[in-house]
Amino acid sequence: MNGSAPLTAASKLGDLLAQLPLNQPDQWSDIERTAQGLANELRSKNVEQQTALGQTLLPQTLTSLLKGAVSDSQNPACKSAVFELLRVAANLCMDHDGNRGVLLDAGFPQTVVGLLESYAESVKPAQREATAISIPDLKIVKTAIGFLLNASVGYDAVKDRLVALEAAMTILKLSTAIYPLGSWQLYQLPSDGSSSEDPTEAWTLRSTLASWSWRAIEEIRGDEETQPPRLVFGPDALPLLASQLRAFVPPYPEPPPTFSAPASHHTLVQTDFDIYEQVCGLVESLSLDVEDVRLSLARGLTFPDGEHGGVACLSDLLTFVEKGDYPPYWASEAPGERSVKEKGFDLGKGALVKAIVEVAGEEKNTDTLWDDSEVDKPGGEFVSRMVEWIRTYKDLKGTTRDDLIICATLSLGNICRRDAHSLAIVKPPISLAPDLAALLDPDTDIKVKHGVIGLLKHLAQSQGNRAALGEASIIQKLATSQIWSERADMVEIIQAAAVGVAKHMCNSDIDNTFSLVLPTEGSPLHQILELVKRSDSIAIKSEGTRVLVNAVKSLWSTDPKTLDEEKVKKRDAATKAIVTEPCVSALARLIGRSKRYPTLINEGVVALSLVSTHPNGGTLVLDSLLNPLPTEAIRTTSQPLSAVSASEGSPVVGPRRALDMLIAVLRDGSPSVPAEVRSNVCALLGHLGRKGVVAENRTTDLQRMKDSTRELVEGLARETEAPGNPKVVAAAKRALEAWA
């Protein structure tokens, strides 16, 4: 065509449109030929020509002709015309926002979506084999999707309309039916030679259609780097996505000889891999961002027929993560390409692991994923599968399935936030504690330790679990795993979780306290206190010292008369190990750094009060209150370990002595300091002043303590000056009586 020929062709298409009601015999053939010539001309990039055509009636003509062809679909000649009309529109708007706009105004994208919907209605979704479709129809669907891709690239108005029309779901349904991943391996030539179509051409069209489909979906969703992706999929997309992963689960069929040629074989293998990456990324994104998707995945595990049309989506994800593997035909790929594919395959699995963990982390799924109805599957399908993974792959030296251990421990950690579930995991018949202990090896990958220790922290919060966790030697295994050593300091969040495990396990449990404190040389408690010393995290420092607080409470609150002879000896040894300058000073530092956290001050005060009842404890406690506190480099943290941990760092410049903090507490009558805290401070000061509690040669230091606090204590003891705090008044009076 010469320079004016495209405009002439556009005008002729208008004339042919006007003649459609005449229903002439060759009208669609004329439309096909005219559109074909125009489409071919538009393949050569000419912006002026594109602009000129866009300013004519061509966009409206194309829309009307396409509508007419769709309504006259019984006429075989229409298909070729539809194909060429789609080509004209696709080339007309290529890299041309103006023409994208006029085509949208003319309703052409909307008509194309309607055309694709008519094809989508005839396919069965989530099938392993590719749906039967002729080459002419393949060309139409491929070109229609190509048009939508061209029309939407960088043009939000078209994208927004396509979102409203749910075009992405239509495209996904067609793509996964026409080209299910790996379906080319199942292709067989008809034995009677009835098919006249070239299989290589057909499957090239199928693979190109699938590639364009995912590019179009990506374009419609939007660029995550510049804006949040548009929400174009919901739970109804899950069966289509999950079913694609079956192509990568053994056994693999032998690739047919039809595709033995290197070029066609490589194209199909590459298309499978590219779409696999897209599927995994999309499942992860939907699980992270869409609550309905998380809920639907959980429901579908129990009710797949009602939720996903018979496709057990979450079960398929679990099966793929466990059994999916590199296809054997990747061996024929070049070494560099094979390496890239294997890395991408593993990253895809990692994305699905995140999705599974997110589903388990959805609070509304806690009861859905837990099922007590099946005796042979304690906890239900999901829980029993996670437990099975841990048991089967816990020997990490003999397997390479860290991914399954990570998925299982993180998922169970999310589900076990309820006490009943937590208890069920530790008690028979599941009894998972020994298996978790086996994973606490020094050489275990830090990501695995993260999952295991996080799960243990949830389990240890249930008091009914602590004895069983102790029997599994969890505290000792944490110590030997070196999680509290200097080499693990770069993973502070995991160290903190391990501290939390020890803190919970020693709460009101004398046996676990023995495991923490004994033997004294290199004990778990010693490791934790060393971590507290060198850490600059206020959360680590506070929570680590609270482990010591719980140990003190457990030892001092246990009546020796209730223990057998061996445990009495252990209690004496553990008590002796705690009544030492390092432990007592650690408690004083807890008080000194916790100006903004009265609960932590109270814990430190109570622990010091208990220690001071030991024959050697009073003097140590007095010294810890009077000695200057060391300067601590304290960093803020945004991840507190419990409700009373610091969510912000305490000021670096704090009280000079722990006693100064106690004085500040006595002086502060505001509601922010509970009466219990002030009462306990009075009790500690009073006890230290009793005769015989502090060594006689420390009379001067004891007097310094009394002189610093007497006026405040006397003021608190006068009822008129402390209305509404009878506990504080009584405690202050008892302190003065003890000093008398």
Side-chain angles (χ1 to χ4, degrees), residues 26-42:
D26 296 326
Q27 61 182 6
W28 286 112
S29 297
D30 290 342
I31 292 169
E32 174 199 350
R33 285 191 296 272
T34 305
Q36 183 183 57
L38 180 55
N40 290 343
E41 181 71 17
L42 285 170

Side-chain angles (χ1 to χ4, degrees), residues 633-646:
I634 294 177
R635 172 173 51 81
T636 61
T637 176
S638 59
Q639 306 218 1
L641 297 182
S642 70
V644 295
S645 299

Side-chain angles (χ1 to χ4, degrees), residues 482-545:
Q482 301 181 22
I483 191 61
W484 295 313
S485 68
E486 285 189 66
R487 78 172 194 172
D489 284 354
M490 75 286 293
V491 286
E492 179 184 287
I493 189 171
I494 308 176
Q495 288 182 320
V499 166
V501 175
K503 182 188 75 172
H504 293 306
M505 286 184 64
C506 293
N507 187 10
S508 303
D509 193 297
I510 190 72
D511 291 317
N512 287 338
T513 301
F514 293 156
S515 298
L516 176 79
V517 180
L518 302 174
T520 54
E521 186 66 30
S523 68
L525 177 62
H526 174 77
Q527 292 185 29
I528 292 172
L529 292 181
E530 286 299 308
L531 171 63
V532 167
K533 279 185 183 179
R534 66 177 183 269
S535 176
D536 60 358
S537 162
I538 185 66
I540 288 281
K541 287 180 177 295
S542 298
E543 292 295 285
T545 311

Side-chain angles (χ1 to χ4, degrees), residues 390-618:
I390 293 172
R391 289 207 172 113
T392 303
Y393 302 104
K394 65 185 176 185
D395 179 15
L396 295 175
K397 293 179 181 178
T399 67
T400 56
R401 298 313 308 266
D402 289 10
D403 58 334
L404 297 184
I405 300 294
I406 292 167
C407 183
T409 52
L410 292 176
S411 296
L412 288 178
N414 284 334
I415 292 176
C416 290
R417 288 173 295 188
R418 295 199 180 172
D419 201 54
H421 297 166
S422 177
L423 291 169
I425 289 294
V426 175
K427 294 183 179 299
I430 296 179
S431 304
L432 197 59
D435 302 292
L436 297 175
L439 288 162
L440 294 174
D441 186 271
D443 296 328
T444 298
D445 184 88
I446 198 65
K447 293 180 182 177
V448 175
K449 285 181 180 174
H450 180 206
V452 173
I453 293 172
L455 173 55
L456 285 169
K457 185 181 176 186
H458 285 294
L459 298 177
Q461 291 179 36
S462 298
Q463 186 172 356
N465 282 339
R466 291 168 192 164
L469 293 175
E471 290 172 7
S473 304
I474 294 298
I475 290 179
Q476 297 95 317
K477 293 289 287 185
L478 284 171
T480 57
S481 75
Q482 301 181 22
I483 191 61
W484 295 313
S485 68
E486 285 189 66
R487 78 172 194 172
D489 284 354
M490 75 286 293
V491 286
E492 179 184 287
I493 189 171
I494 308 176
Q495 288 182 320
V499 166
V501 175
K503 182 188 75 172
H504 293 306
M505 286 184 64
C506 293
N507 187 10
S508 303
D509 193 297
I510 190 72
D511 291 317
N512 287 338
T513 301
F514 293 156
S515 298
L516 176 79
V517 180
L518 302 174
T520 54
E521 186 66 30
S523 68
L525 177 62
H526 174 77
Q527 292 185 29
I528 292 172
L529 292 181
E530 286 299 308
L531 171 63
V532 167
K533 279 185 183 179
R534 66 177 183 269
S535 176
D536 60 358
S537 162
I538 185 66
I540 288 281
K541 287 180 177 295
S542 298
E543 292 295 285
T545 311
R546 293 181 78 203
V547 177
L548 174 59
V549 170
N550 282 357
V552 170
K553 290 179 178 178
S554 292
L555 289 170
W556 265 259
S557 64
T558 302
D559 186 349
K561 295 177 183 178
T562 64
L563 304 175
D564 58 33
E565 184 178 351
E566 181 184 355
K567 288 188 177 181
V568 169
K569 290 180 181 179
K570 283 186 176 181
R571 180 183 180 277
D572 291 342
T575 303
K576 183 179 179 182
I578 284 179
V579 184
T580 57
E581 188 277 332
C583 290
V584 176
S585 295
L587 294 171
R589 288 195 293 273
L590 175 66
I591 293 171
R593 77 171 73 93
S594 301
K595 180 179 181 180
R596 297 176 57 193
Y597 308 99
T599 305
L600 293 180
I601 294 175
N602 191 53
E603 291 199 1
V605 167
V606 169
L608 287 179
S609 295
L610 293 172
V611 171
S612 70
T613 63
H614 189 276
N616 301 324

